[in-house]
Amino acid sequence: MPGPTPRGRTSLARTLGAALAGAFLLALAAGPGAPARAADVPFARDSARSEVVALINGERKAAGLKPLTVDLLLSSRAHDASFACPGGGSTPGRARDNAEHAGLSHELSGCPDRSILDVMPSWSYRALTGEILAYNYASSDLVAYHFGCPPGSTGFDCSGSGATLDVSQTAATAIRQWVDSPTHHAIMLGAYDRFGCGAWAGTGTTQYGTGGAFYACVFAKGGPASRLDTRAPSVKGVGVAADGAVAGAAAAGSSSIGRTAGSSQVAAATVPAGATVTVSSTVADSETLGRVAGWQVAVDGGVVVNVLGSGRIDAGRGSVRVEAAISTVGLAAGAHTVTIRARDMAGRWSATATATLVVAP
């Protein structure tokens, strides 16, 4: 098993068909009554961690438990944000730390003989705490994950299961790893009220392969209310332009279609049938440590672009400029409504921002 496991930490390896070959996980919990822890589609860190958040809460709901609230501080430090060690020094966020060291360990790389649970009391998390880790080499292609499947189920489906969610195979694999381990499953379903998760692509080589996706989730009961993720993200305007024009300002040899300020449409123009247009916007999460995890473009209510995060989204704190090309092939002549909305780490969607696209007869 990669990485040390001091202080009675448990580590287990599980296999779930070919997708889980070489998949590993670790669990760690503390507090009163605590339980005894490459792809066809590019790996998008913030999208994958948002999926893990949704899947854990979906498993809790299937078990008749309340969902956990995303804690923005725990989320950032489970992911990539560095934090100070007791006595000096610092260490990277948990998923990034394990990915950069090509293995799983609860021991903080910058804080020898310490785990994140040793540090959390200094952040005002003093009751029940826990951490679970995993990595796998599964694809980022979408699969249908079925909630409530018993441990040991094959794949992500089980006969008679209830709700489903389309997520990346790598995120679904991490959850199945944890569900199939009694220790990890107990932490997922534990008496916590908040958590945060991280995901990071590996670049090093373990004895099982190169790369992979590394996951970390940190749980707590109680803590500062100000750190809870309570606000939806926002979309600041929509621009639609053809042939490279700046939205809302026509240029020679190009057509400006429309743009919005906030949610109020301020312009509309016409493009030839079959033209490709660029839709752009600024998506933002105003909360401290907030991250936008994805965004969607829809035409007349039908989603045509579903961005599950990207390098720019992953790097985006505060606001990020995004754009996508869409084709007007198949659209009838006349006016069409283009909307953009954004999703945050907790799975909360923004209100939509709207522009008008007019296709010439």
Side-chain angles (χ1 to χ4, degrees), residues 80 87 91 214 216 233-234 239 298:
D80 65 342
T91 194
F214 289 74
S234 62

mmCIF file of all heavy atoms in Angstrom, residues 80 87 91 214 216 233-234 239 298:
data_model
loop_
_atom_site.group_PDB
_atom_site.id
_atom_site.type_symbol
_atom_site.label_atom_id
_atom_site.label_comp_id
_atom_site.label_asym_id
_atom_site.label_seq_id
_atom_site.Cartn_x
_atom_site.Cartn_y
_atom_site.Cartn_z
ATOM 1 N N ASP A 80 -6.581 21.466 -2.712
ATOM 2 C CA ASP A 80 -5.227 21.888 -3.062
ATOM 3 C C ASP A 80 -4.645 22.976 -2.179
ATOM 4 O O ASP A 80 -3.443 23.244 -2.243
ATOM 5 C CB ASP A 80 -5.203 22.375 -4.512
ATOM 6 C CG ASP A 80 -6.040 23.634 -4.741
ATOM 7 O OD1 ASP A 80 -6.903 23.942 -3.903
ATOM 8 O OD2 ASP A 80 -5.845 24.300 -5.785
ATOM 9 N N GLY A 87 3.871 23.890 14.699
ATOM 10 C CA GLY A 87 5.302 24.015 14.915
ATOM 11 C C GLY A 87 6.078 24.583 13.749
ATOM 12 O O GLY A 87 7.302 24.696 13.801
ATOM 13 N N THR A 91 1.923 22.414 4.259
ATOM 14 C CA THR A 91 1.700 21.206 3.468
ATOM 15 C C THR A 91 0.587 21.463 2.470
ATOM 16 O O THR A 91 -0.309 22.273 2.738
ATOM 17 C CB THR A 91 1.348 20.029 4.414
ATOM 18 O OG1 THR A 91 1.452 18.792 3.708
ATOM 19 C CG2 THR A 91 -0.051 20.174 4.984
ATOM 20 N N PHE A 214 -6.715 11.170 -7.864
ATOM 21 C CA PHE A 214 -6.618 11.057 -6.413
ATOM 22 C C PHE A 214 -7.745 11.858 -5.768
ATOM 23 O O PHE A 214 -8.006 13.003 -6.156
ATOM 24 C CB PHE A 214 -5.268 11.580 -5.936
ATOM 25 C CG PHE A 214 -4.111 10.679 -6.293
ATOM 26 C CD1 PHE A 214 -3.646 10.608 -7.599
ATOM 27 C CD2 PHE A 214 -3.499 9.893 -5.324
ATOM 28 C CE1 PHE A 214 -2.588 9.775 -7.946
ATOM 29 C CE2 PHE A 214 -2.444 9.058 -5.652
ATOM 30 C CZ PHE A 214 -1.991 8.989 -6.963
ATOM 31 N N ALA A 216 -9.829 13.018 -2.007
ATOM 32 C CA ALA A 216 -9.792 13.172 -0.556
ATOM 33 C C ALA A 216 -11.065 13.866 -0.107
ATOM 34 O O ALA A 216 -11.478 14.853 -0.718
ATOM 35 C CB ALA A 216 -8.580 14.002 -0.120
ATOM 36 N N PRO A 233 -23.749 30.347 -7.338
ATOM 37 C CA PRO A 233 -22.884 31.183 -8.175
ATOM 38 C C PRO A 233 -23.719 32.119 -9.034
ATOM 39 O O PRO A 233 -24.957 32.117 -8.964
ATOM 40 C CB PRO A 233 -22.141 30.149 -9.026
ATOM 41 C CG PRO A 233 -23.092 29.002 -9.118
ATOM 42 C CD PRO A 233 -23.813 28.962 -7.788
ATOM 43 N N SER A 234 -23.065 32.898 -9.851
ATOM 44 C CA SER A 234 -23.769 33.857 -10.703
ATOM 45 C C SER A 234 -23.190 33.833 -12.105
ATOM 46 O O SER A 234 -22.065 33.382 -12.328
ATOM 47 C CB SER A 234 -23.664 35.277 -10.130
ATOM 48 O OG SER A 234 -22.301 35.693 -10.085
ATOM 49 N N GLY A 239 -22.706 36.859 -23.933
ATOM 50 C CA GLY A 239 -22.363 37.405 -25.244
ATOM 51 C C GLY A 239 -22.504 36.317 -26.285
ATOM 52 O O GLY A 239 -22.155 35.166 -26.058
ATOM 53 N N ALA A 298 -27.602 26.519 -23.180
ATOM 54 C CA ALA A 298 -28.800 25.913 -23.754
ATOM 55 C C ALA A 298 -29.366 26.830 -24.832
ATOM 56 O O ALA A 298 -29.256 28.061 -24.746
ATOM 57 C CB ALA A 298 -29.861 25.666 -22.679
#
